[in-house]
Amino acid sequence: MLLVAIGVFGVPSRYSLVISATLTLVQLVVIGAAALSLFLPVWRSGDEDRRGIALAGLLLIVPWALLTLMPGFGPPFAATLAMNHERFVILFISTMFLGLGLWSLKDPLARGEAGDRLAAPMGQVTALFAVCTQLVWAAILVGWTMSEAHKAKTYLPFDGTPMANASDVLLFFAGLLTYASTAFYALSFARRGWLGKRTATVMVVIAAVAIVGLITRGLQYPDLPDNWYTMPGMIVGIPAIPWVMPYVLGVVALVRAAGGGRAV
């Protein structure tokens, strides 16, 4: 369903209200049913350790679940002002849930004699910086859409202004730090036996490649890169794309909590 959500959200289309509501409802029901089928039995078990793991996993799934509220929105340049206002408000709220999920992962991972007290705290600290940075970025864009709503007919140019450049810098570091946090947590999952070492290695490599792509692209976010080698950096820098691997970690945490400790 994550892949379906990316496709439905990412491909620009002007759905009718009925179709849009149906697409959102179907995605939310499937994602919610899958997550709650793992979460609720753990919560009813009364085991506080497992509850903490399951809650962190659920929180990491919420950001992408919220993005199902925007079927057919596509990239900002393909959307209306009202759609972009809704987009950035939802991204702001989703970022808060991401922060709650990444922050709360640390304690279950570090708890006990076998707890990971190296990678997990690094994952938590980098997540804190990433989330705070992205919240500021989203707030700037929400404020921009609110300002534009007072214009009679046209957008006030935003691209190229000092505020736009500052928002690009914020988004760059938010993405970079989110990938770093995900890599630290993947290593921590492997050290605790929640994730297979090969799977964790793949996630770390993906995060490292994404970071290299961002650095190659540069601080400014291009709508259409002039050079082919900056295209990967543009893709991995799309605001919600760094949340894909935290989503996967959330699923792993739910499965681990429900399965009583199996590595995934």
Side-chain angles (χ1 to χ4, degrees), residues 6-41:
I6 292 173
V8 173
F9 165 66
V11 178
S13 182
R14 295 296 179 265
Y15 299 114
S16 67
L17 180 60
V18 172
I19 294 177
S20 179
T22 301
L23 287 170
T24 293
L25 181 62
V26 169
Q27 291 176 93
L28 283 176
V29 167
V30 175
I31 293 173
L36 292 177
S37 68
L38 294 170
F39 177 80
L40 292 178

PDB file of all heavy atoms in Angstrom, residues 6-41:
ATOM      1  N   ILE A   6       2.176   6.208  -2.874  1.00  0.00           N
ATOM      2  CA  ILE A   6       3.133   7.066  -3.583  1.00  0.00           C
ATOM      3  C   ILE A   6       2.623   7.353  -4.991  1.00  0.00           C
ATOM      4  O   ILE A   6       2.658   8.491  -5.468  1.00  0.00           O
ATOM      5  CB  ILE A   6       4.520   6.401  -3.632  1.00  0.00           C
ATOM      6  CG1 ILE A   6       5.131   6.351  -2.224  1.00  0.00           C
ATOM      7  CG2 ILE A   6       5.456   7.160  -4.574  1.00  0.00           C
ATOM      8  CD1 ILE A   6       6.429   5.564  -2.149  1.00  0.00           C
ATOM      9  N   GLY A   7       2.128   6.315  -5.661  1.00  0.00           N
ATOM     10  CA  GLY A   7       1.637   6.493  -7.019  1.00  0.00           C
ATOM     11  C   GLY A   7       0.402   7.374  -7.091  1.00  0.00           C
ATOM     12  O   GLY A   7       0.313   8.280  -7.928  1.00  0.00           O
ATOM     13  N   VAL A   8      -0.568   7.127  -6.208  1.00  0.00           N
ATOM     14  CA  VAL A   8      -1.818   7.900  -6.226  1.00  0.00           C
ATOM     15  C   VAL A   8      -1.560   9.359  -5.869  1.00  0.00           C
ATOM     16  O   VAL A   8      -2.158  10.276  -6.436  1.00  0.00           O
ATOM     17  CB  VAL A   8      -2.842   7.278  -5.256  1.00  0.00           C
ATOM     18  CG1 VAL A   8      -4.078   8.164  -5.135  1.00  0.00           C
ATOM     19  CG2 VAL A   8      -3.249   5.897  -5.734  1.00  0.00           C
ATOM     20  N   PHE A   9      -0.655   9.593  -4.939  1.00  0.00           N
ATOM     21  CA  PHE A   9      -0.327  10.960  -4.533  1.00  0.00           C
ATOM     22  C   PHE A   9       0.562  11.654  -5.564  1.00  0.00           C
ATOM     23  O   PHE A   9       0.371  12.830  -5.887  1.00  0.00           O
ATOM     24  CB  PHE A   9       0.371  10.931  -3.171  1.00  0.00           C
ATOM     25  CG  PHE A   9       1.077  12.210  -2.809  1.00  0.00           C
ATOM     26  CD1 PHE A   9       0.363  13.372  -2.577  1.00  0.00           C
ATOM     27  CD2 PHE A   9       2.465  12.256  -2.703  1.00  0.00           C
ATOM     28  CE1 PHE A   9       1.009  14.556  -2.242  1.00  0.00           C
ATOM     29  CE2 PHE A   9       3.123  13.424  -2.377  1.00  0.00           C
ATOM     30  CZ  PHE A   9       2.386  14.587  -2.140  1.00  0.00           C
ATOM     31  N   GLY A  10       1.516  10.935  -6.124  1.00  0.00           N
ATOM     32  CA  GLY A  10       2.559  11.562  -6.941  1.00  0.00           C
ATOM     33  C   GLY A  10       2.160  11.879  -8.368  1.00  0.00           C
ATOM     34  O   GLY A  10       2.724  12.778  -8.980  1.00  0.00           O
ATOM     35  N   VAL A  11       1.179  11.156  -8.925  1.00  0.00           N
ATOM     36  CA  VAL A  11       0.775  11.383 -10.322  1.00  0.00           C
ATOM     37  C   VAL A  11      -0.334  12.436 -10.352  1.00  0.00           C
ATOM     38  O   VAL A  11      -1.416  12.221  -9.800  1.00  0.00           O
ATOM     39  CB  VAL A  11       0.278  10.074 -10.963  1.00  0.00           C
ATOM     40  CG1 VAL A  11      -0.172  10.340 -12.395  1.00  0.00           C
ATOM     41  CG2 VAL A  11       1.369   9.007 -10.929  1.00  0.00           C
ATOM     42  N   PRO A  12      -0.084  13.596 -10.971  1.00  0.00           N
ATOM     43  CA  PRO A  12      -1.098  14.659 -10.978  1.00  0.00           C
ATOM     44  C   PRO A  12      -2.378  14.211 -11.683  1.00  0.00           C
ATOM     45  O   PRO A  12      -2.335  13.640 -12.767  1.00  0.00           O
ATOM     46  CB  PRO A  12      -0.424  15.794 -11.746  1.00  0.00           C
ATOM     47  CG  PRO A  12       1.036  15.484 -11.721  1.00  0.00           C
ATOM     48  CD  PRO A  12       1.133  13.997 -11.680  1.00  0.00           C
ATOM     49  N   SER A  13      -3.513  14.449 -11.030  1.00  0.00           N
ATOM     50  CA  SER A  13      -4.804  14.125 -11.621  1.00  0.00           C
ATOM     51  C   SER A  13      -5.885  14.898 -10.880  1.00  0.00           C
ATOM     52  O   SER A  13      -5.802  15.083  -9.661  1.00  0.00           O
ATOM     53  CB  SER A  13      -5.076  12.617 -11.527  1.00  0.00           C
ATOM     54  OG  SER A  13      -6.305  12.287 -12.131  1.00  0.00           O
ATOM     55  N   ARG A  14      -6.872  15.362 -11.603  1.00  0.00           N
ATOM     56  CA  ARG A  14      -7.974  16.094 -10.988  1.00  0.00           C
ATOM     57  C   ARG A  14      -9.173  15.156 -10.841  1.00  0.00           C
ATOM     58  O   ARG A  14     -10.020  15.042 -11.715  1.00  0.00           O
ATOM     59  CB  ARG A  14      -8.343  17.330 -11.831  1.00  0.00           C
ATOM     60  CG  ARG A  14      -7.243  18.367 -11.906  1.00  0.00           C
ATOM     61  CD  ARG A  14      -6.948  18.949 -10.518  1.00  0.00           C
ATOM     62  NE  ARG A  14      -5.873  19.927 -10.586  1.00  0.00           N
ATOM     63  CZ  ARG A  14      -4.606  19.653 -10.345  1.00  0.00           C
ATOM     64  NH1 ARG A  14      -4.251  18.419 -10.031  1.00  0.00           N
ATOM     65  NH2 ARG A  14      -3.690  20.602 -10.406  1.00  0.00           N
ATOM     66  N   TYR A  15      -9.200  14.445  -9.713  1.00  0.00           N
ATOM     67  CA  TYR A  15     -10.293  13.528  -9.445  1.00  0.00           C
ATOM     68  C   TYR A  15     -11.525  14.293  -8.978  1.00  0.00           C
ATOM     69  O   TYR A  15     -11.423  15.369  -8.375  1.00  0.00           O
ATOM     70  CB  TYR A  15      -9.897  12.527  -8.359  1.00  0.00           C
ATOM     71  CG  TYR A  15      -8.715  11.649  -8.714  1.00  0.00           C
ATOM     72  CD1 TYR A  15      -7.517  11.756  -8.014  1.00  0.00           C
ATOM     73  CD2 TYR A  15      -8.797  10.704  -9.733  1.00  0.00           C
ATOM     74  CE1 TYR A  15      -6.435  10.951  -8.324  1.00  0.00           C
ATOM     75  CE2 TYR A  15      -7.719   9.893 -10.053  1.00  0.00           C
ATOM     76  CZ  TYR A  15      -6.537  10.021  -9.342  1.00  0.00           C
ATOM     77  OH  TYR A  15      -5.471   9.229  -9.650  1.00  0.00           O
ATOM     78  N   SER A  16     -12.685  13.709  -9.216  1.00  0.00           N
ATOM     79  CA  SER A  16     -13.898  14.271  -8.638  1.00  0.00           C
ATOM     80  C   SER A  16     -13.880  14.048  -7.135  1.00  0.00           C
ATOM     81  O   SER A  16     -13.092  13.240  -6.613  1.00  0.00           O
ATOM     82  CB  SER A  16     -15.134  13.595  -9.240  1.00  0.00           C
ATOM     83  OG  SER A  16     -15.188  12.236  -8.835  1.00  0.00           O
ATOM     84  N   LEU A  17     -14.743  14.755  -6.416  1.00  0.00           N
ATOM     85  CA  LEU A  17     -14.786  14.627  -4.961  1.00  0.00           C
ATOM     86  C   LEU A  17     -15.074  13.194  -4.539  1.00  0.00           C
ATOM     87  O   LEU A  17     -14.470  12.675  -3.597  1.00  0.00           O
ATOM     88  CB  LEU A  17     -15.848  15.565  -4.395  1.00  0.00           C
ATOM     89  CG  LEU A  17     -16.022  15.549  -2.865  1.00  0.00           C
ATOM     90  CD1 LEU A  17     -14.720  15.953  -2.180  1.00  0.00           C
ATOM     91  CD2 LEU A  17     -17.160  16.476  -2.442  1.00  0.00           C
ATOM     92  N   VAL A  18     -15.978  12.530  -5.257  1.00  0.00           N
ATOM     93  CA  VAL A  18     -16.344  11.150  -4.905  1.00  0.00           C
ATOM     94  C   VAL A  18     -15.165  10.210  -5.106  1.00  0.00           C
ATOM     95  O   VAL A  18     -14.846   9.384  -4.232  1.00  0.00           O
ATOM     96  CB  VAL A  18     -17.557  10.685  -5.745  1.00  0.00           C
ATOM     97  CG1 VAL A  18     -17.820   9.189  -5.517  1.00  0.00           C
ATOM     98  CG2 VAL A  18     -18.792  11.497  -5.389  1.00  0.00           C
ATOM     99  N   ILE A  19     -14.499  10.312  -6.257  1.00  0.00           N
ATOM    100  CA  ILE A  19     -13.351   9.431  -6.534  1.00  0.00           C
ATOM    101  C   ILE A  19     -12.213   9.723  -5.561  1.00  0.00           C
ATOM    102  O   ILE A  19     -11.571   8.797  -5.041  1.00  0.00           O
ATOM    103  CB  ILE A  19     -12.883   9.602  -7.989  1.00  0.00           C
ATOM    104  CG1 ILE A  19     -13.961   9.107  -8.951  1.00  0.00           C
ATOM    105  CG2 ILE A  19     -11.570   8.860  -8.222  1.00  0.00           C
ATOM    106  CD1 ILE A  19     -13.625   9.302 -10.412  1.00  0.00           C
ATOM    107  N   SER A  20     -11.952  10.996  -5.302  1.00  0.00           N
ATOM    108  CA  SER A  20     -10.890  11.365  -4.380  1.00  0.00           C
ATOM    109  C   SER A  20     -11.156  10.793  -2.984  1.00  0.00           C
ATOM    110  O   SER A  20     -10.264  10.207  -2.358  1.00  0.00           O
ATOM    111  CB  SER A  20     -10.777  12.888  -4.309  1.00  0.00           C
ATOM    112  OG  SER A  20      -9.760  13.278  -3.407  1.00  0.00           O
ATOM    113  N   ALA A  21     -12.393  10.954  -2.509  1.00  0.00           N
ATOM    114  CA  ALA A  21     -12.749  10.429  -1.181  1.00  0.00           C
ATOM    115  C   ALA A  21     -12.653   8.909  -1.152  1.00  0.00           C
ATOM    116  O   ALA A  21     -12.213   8.321  -0.157  1.00  0.00           O
ATOM    117  CB  ALA A  21     -14.156  10.884  -0.806  1.00  0.00           C
ATOM    118  N   THR A  22     -13.045   8.259  -2.248  1.00  0.00           N
ATOM    119  CA  THR A  22     -12.995   6.794  -2.304  1.00  0.00           C
ATOM    120  C   THR A  22     -11.563   6.292  -2.268  1.00  0.00           C
ATOM    121  O   THR A  22     -11.242   5.341  -1.542  1.00  0.00           O
ATOM    122  CB  THR A  22     -13.686   6.291  -3.587  1.00  0.00           C
ATOM    123  OG1 THR A  22     -15.050   6.727  -3.595  1.00  0.00           O
ATOM    124  CG2 THR A  22     -13.649   4.773  -3.658  1.00  0.00           C
ATOM    125  N   LEU A  23     -10.675   6.934  -3.066  1.00  0.00           N
ATOM    126  CA  LEU A  23      -9.273   6.534  -3.068  1.00  0.00           C
ATOM    127  C   LEU A  23      -8.649   6.690  -1.687  1.00  0.00           C
ATOM    128  O   LEU A  23      -7.926   5.805  -1.207  1.00  0.00           O
ATOM    129  CB  LEU A  23      -8.495   7.375  -4.088  1.00  0.00           C
ATOM    130  CG  LEU A  23      -8.734   7.047  -5.560  1.00  0.00           C
ATOM    131  CD1 LEU A  23      -8.084   8.113  -6.452  1.00  0.00           C
ATOM    132  CD2 LEU A  23      -8.185   5.672  -5.905  1.00  0.00           C
ATOM    133  N   THR A  24      -8.930   7.827  -1.053  1.00  0.00           N
ATOM    134  CA  THR A  24      -8.385   8.056   0.288  1.00  0.00           C
ATOM    135  C   THR A  24      -8.916   7.029   1.275  1.00  0.00           C
ATOM    136  O   THR A  24      -8.154   6.456   2.074  1.00  0.00           O
ATOM    137  CB  THR A  24      -8.752   9.476   0.760  1.00  0.00           C
ATOM    138  OG1 THR A  24      -8.079  10.434  -0.053  1.00  0.00           O
ATOM    139  CG2 THR A  24      -8.341   9.688   2.216  1.00  0.00           C
ATOM    140  N   LEU A  25     -10.226   6.780   1.231  1.00  0.00           N
ATOM    141  CA  LEU A  25     -10.842   5.852   2.179  1.00  0.00           C
ATOM    142  C   LEU A  25     -10.278   4.444   2.020  1.00  0.00           C
ATOM    143  O   LEU A  25      -9.945   3.780   3.009  1.00  0.00           O
ATOM    144  CB  LEU A  25     -12.358   5.851   1.984  1.00  0.00           C
ATOM    145  CG  LEU A  25     -13.153   4.941   2.940  1.00  0.00           C
ATOM    146  CD1 LEU A  25     -12.964   5.402   4.381  1.00  0.00           C
ATOM    147  CD2 LEU A  25     -14.637   4.947   2.567  1.00  0.00           C
ATOM    148  N   VAL A  26     -10.152   3.987   0.773  1.00  0.00           N
ATOM    149  CA  VAL A  26      -9.639   2.635   0.534  1.00  0.00           C
ATOM    150  C   VAL A  26      -8.212   2.503   1.064  1.00  0.00           C
ATOM    151  O   VAL A  26      -7.868   1.510   1.736  1.00  0.00           O
ATOM    152  CB  VAL A  26      -9.689   2.302  -0.967  1.00  0.00           C
ATOM    153  CG1 VAL A  26      -8.916   1.012  -1.259  1.00  0.00           C
ATOM    154  CG2 VAL A  26     -11.131   2.150  -1.424  1.00  0.00           C
ATOM    155  N   GLN A  27      -7.370   3.493   0.767  1.00  0.00           N
ATOM    156  CA  GLN A  27      -5.980   3.429   1.234  1.00  0.00           C
ATOM    157  C   GLN A  27      -5.908   3.454   2.757  1.00  0.00           C
ATOM    158  O   GLN A  27      -5.154   2.678   3.371  1.00  0.00           O
ATOM    159  CB  GLN A  27      -5.190   4.608   0.656  1.00  0.00           C
ATOM    160  CG  GLN A  27      -4.972   4.534  -0.842  1.00  0.00           C
ATOM    161  CD  GLN A  27      -4.260   5.772  -1.360  1.00  0.00           C
ATOM    162  OE1 GLN A  27      -3.041   5.796  -1.463  1.00  0.00           O
ATOM    163  NE2 GLN A  27      -5.011   6.819  -1.672  1.00  0.00           N
ATOM    164  N   LEU A  28      -6.681   4.337   3.377  1.00  0.00           N
ATOM    165  CA  LEU A  28      -6.658   4.433   4.833  1.00  0.00           C
ATOM    166  C   LEU A  28      -7.164   3.155   5.493  1.00  0.00           C
ATOM    167  O   LEU A  28      -6.617   2.697   6.505  1.00  0.00           O
ATOM    168  CB  LEU A  28      -7.497   5.623   5.299  1.00  0.00           C
ATOM    169  CG  LEU A  28      -6.874   7.005   5.138  1.00  0.00           C
ATOM    170  CD1 LEU A  28      -7.869   8.084   5.562  1.00  0.00           C
ATOM    171  CD2 LEU A  28      -5.594   7.125   5.957  1.00  0.00           C
ATOM    172  N   VAL A  29      -8.209   2.557   4.914  1.00  0.00           N
ATOM    173  CA  VAL A  29      -8.769   1.329   5.490  1.00  0.00           C
ATOM    174  C   VAL A  29      -7.755   0.196   5.416  1.00  0.00           C
ATOM    175  O   VAL A  29      -7.539  -0.540   6.392  1.00  0.00           O
ATOM    176  CB  VAL A  29     -10.078   0.949   4.768  1.00  0.00           C
ATOM    177  CG1 VAL A  29     -10.490  -0.482   5.127  1.00  0.00           C
ATOM    178  CG2 VAL A  29     -11.189   1.915   5.150  1.00  0.00           C
ATOM    179  N   VAL A  30      -7.107   0.052   4.243  1.00  0.00           N
ATOM    180  CA  VAL A  30      -6.149  -1.053   4.087  1.00  0.00           C
ATOM    181  C   VAL A  30      -4.934  -0.850   4.991  1.00  0.00           C
ATOM    182  O   VAL A  30      -4.515  -1.769   5.715  1.00  0.00           O
ATOM    183  CB  VAL A  30      -5.715  -1.188   2.619  1.00  0.00           C
ATOM    184  CG1 VAL A  30      -4.619  -2.246   2.477  1.00  0.00           C
ATOM    185  CG2 VAL A  30      -6.903  -1.562   1.744  1.00  0.00           C
ATOM    186  N   ILE A  31      -4.352   0.366   4.958  1.00  0.00           N
ATOM    187  CA  ILE A  31      -3.178   0.639   5.801  1.00  0.00           C
ATOM    188  C   ILE A  31      -3.557   0.529   7.278  1.00  0.00           C
ATOM    189  O   ILE A  31      -2.843  -0.080   8.086  1.00  0.00           O
ATOM    190  CB  ILE A  31      -2.601   2.029   5.492  1.00  0.00           C
ATOM    191  CG1 ILE A  31      -2.010   2.058   4.081  1.00  0.00           C
ATOM    192  CG2 ILE A  31      -1.512   2.405   6.497  1.00  0.00           C
ATOM    193  CD1 ILE A  31      -1.564   3.436   3.623  1.00  0.00           C
ATOM    194  N   GLY A  32      -4.700   1.141   7.649  1.00  0.00           N
ATOM    195  CA  GLY A  32      -5.125   1.119   9.045  1.00  0.00           C
ATOM    196  C   GLY A  32      -5.433  -0.281   9.540  1.00  0.00           C
ATOM    197  O   GLY A  32      -5.055  -0.651  10.656  1.00  0.00           O
ATOM    198  N   ALA A  33      -6.110  -1.072   8.715  1.00  0.00           N
ATOM    199  CA  ALA A  33      -6.454  -2.438   9.127  1.00  0.00           C
ATOM    200  C   ALA A  33      -5.197  -3.279   9.323  1.00  0.00           C
ATOM    201  O   ALA A  33      -5.093  -4.047  10.291  1.00  0.00           O
ATOM    202  CB  ALA A  33      -7.367  -3.073   8.079  1.00  0.00           C
ATOM    203  N   ALA A  34      -4.241  -3.139   8.401  1.00  0.00           N
ATOM    204  CA  ALA A  34      -3.000  -3.910   8.520  1.00  0.00           C
ATOM    205  C   ALA A  34      -2.235  -3.522   9.782  1.00  0.00           C
ATOM    206  O   ALA A  34      -1.728  -4.383  10.518  1.00  0.00           O
ATOM    207  CB  ALA A  34      -2.132  -3.688   7.282  1.00  0.00           C
ATOM    208  N   ALA A  35      -2.148  -2.202  10.041  1.00  0.00           N
ATOM    209  CA  ALA A  35      -1.393  -1.739  11.213  1.00  0.00           C
ATOM    210  C   ALA A  35      -2.101  -2.103  12.516  1.00  0.00           C
ATOM    211  O   ALA A  35      -1.479  -2.597  13.464  1.00  0.00           O
ATOM    212  CB  ALA A  35      -1.191  -0.223  11.134  1.00  0.00           C
ATOM    213  N   LEU A  36      -3.406  -1.892  12.563  1.00  0.00           N
ATOM    214  CA  LEU A  36      -4.147  -2.157  13.806  1.00  0.00           C
ATOM    215  C   LEU A  36      -4.252  -3.649  14.113  1.00  0.00           C
ATOM    216  O   LEU A  36      -4.355  -4.032  15.284  1.00  0.00           O
ATOM    217  CB  LEU A  36      -5.537  -1.535  13.725  1.00  0.00           C
ATOM    218  CG  LEU A  36      -5.563   0.001  13.720  1.00  0.00           C
ATOM    219  CD1 LEU A  36      -6.979   0.513  13.552  1.00  0.00           C
ATOM    220  CD2 LEU A  36      -4.958   0.549  15.018  1.00  0.00           C
ATOM    221  N   SER A  37      -4.209  -4.490  13.071  1.00  0.00           N
ATOM    222  CA  SER A  37      -4.254  -5.931  13.322  1.00  0.00           C
ATOM    223  C   SER A  37      -3.021  -6.394  14.096  1.00  0.00           C
ATOM    224  O   SER A  37      -3.062  -7.417  14.795  1.00  0.00           O
ATOM    225  CB  SER A  37      -4.349  -6.698  11.999  1.00  0.00           C
ATOM    226  OG  SER A  37      -3.147  -6.571  11.251  1.00  0.00           O
ATOM    227  N   LEU A  38      -1.924  -5.648  13.968  1.00  0.00           N
ATOM    228  CA  LEU A  38      -0.716  -5.942  14.745  1.00  0.00           C
ATOM    229  C   LEU A  38      -0.687  -5.160  16.053  1.00  0.00           C
ATOM    230  O   LEU A  38      -0.254  -5.672  17.085  1.00  0.00           O
ATOM    231  CB  LEU A  38       0.523  -5.595  13.915  1.00  0.00           C
ATOM    232  CG  LEU A  38       0.772  -6.433  12.661  1.00  0.00           C
ATOM    233  CD1 LEU A  38       1.884  -5.813  11.829  1.00  0.00           C
ATOM    234  CD2 LEU A  38       1.139  -7.860  13.032  1.00  0.00           C
ATOM    235  N   PHE A  39      -1.148  -3.911  16.001  1.00  0.00           N
ATOM    236  CA  PHE A  39      -1.019  -3.024  17.157  1.00  0.00           C
ATOM    237  C   PHE A  39      -1.972  -3.394  18.295  1.00  0.00           C
ATOM    238  O   PHE A  39      -1.562  -3.439  19.471  1.00  0.00           O
ATOM    239  CB  PHE A  39      -1.269  -1.580  16.718  1.00  0.00           C
ATOM    240  CG  PHE A  39      -1.235  -0.589  17.843  1.00  0.00           C
ATOM    241  CD1 PHE A  39      -0.027  -0.127  18.356  1.00  0.00           C
ATOM    242  CD2 PHE A  39      -2.416  -0.117  18.409  1.00  0.00           C
ATOM    243  CE1 PHE A  39       0.011   0.773  19.397  1.00  0.00           C
ATOM    244  CE2 PHE A  39      -2.391   0.789  19.443  1.00  0.00           C
ATOM    245  CZ  PHE A  39      -1.178   1.241  19.943  1.00  0.00           C
ATOM    246  N   LEU A  40      -3.243  -3.649  17.984  1.00  0.00           N
ATOM    247  CA  LEU A  40      -4.242  -3.840  19.043  1.00  0.00           C
ATOM    248  C   LEU A  40      -3.966  -5.067  19.929  1.00  0.00           C
ATOM    249  O   LEU A  40      -4.080  -4.968  21.158  1.00  0.00           O
ATOM    250  CB  LEU A  40      -5.639  -3.918  18.430  1.00  0.00           C
ATOM    251  CG  LEU A  40      -6.146  -2.603  17.808  1.00  0.00           C
ATOM    252  CD1 LEU A  40      -7.524  -2.802  17.182  1.00  0.00           C
ATOM    253  CD2 LEU A  40      -6.197  -1.501  18.865  1.00  0.00           C
ATOM    254  N   PRO A  41      -3.606  -6.235  19.356  1.00  0.00           N
ATOM    255  CA  PRO A  41      -3.285  -7.368  20.239  1.00  0.00           C
ATOM    256  C   PRO A  41      -2.114  -7.065  21.171  1.00  0.00           C
ATOM    257  O   PRO A  41      -2.112  -7.486  22.332  1.00  0.00           O
ATOM    258  CB  PRO A  41      -2.930  -8.488  19.255  1.00  0.00           C
ATOM    259  CG  PRO A  41      -3.637  -8.127  17.995  1.00  0.00           C
ATOM    260  CD  PRO A  41      -3.570  -6.632  17.939  1.00  0.00           C
TER     261      PRO A  41
END
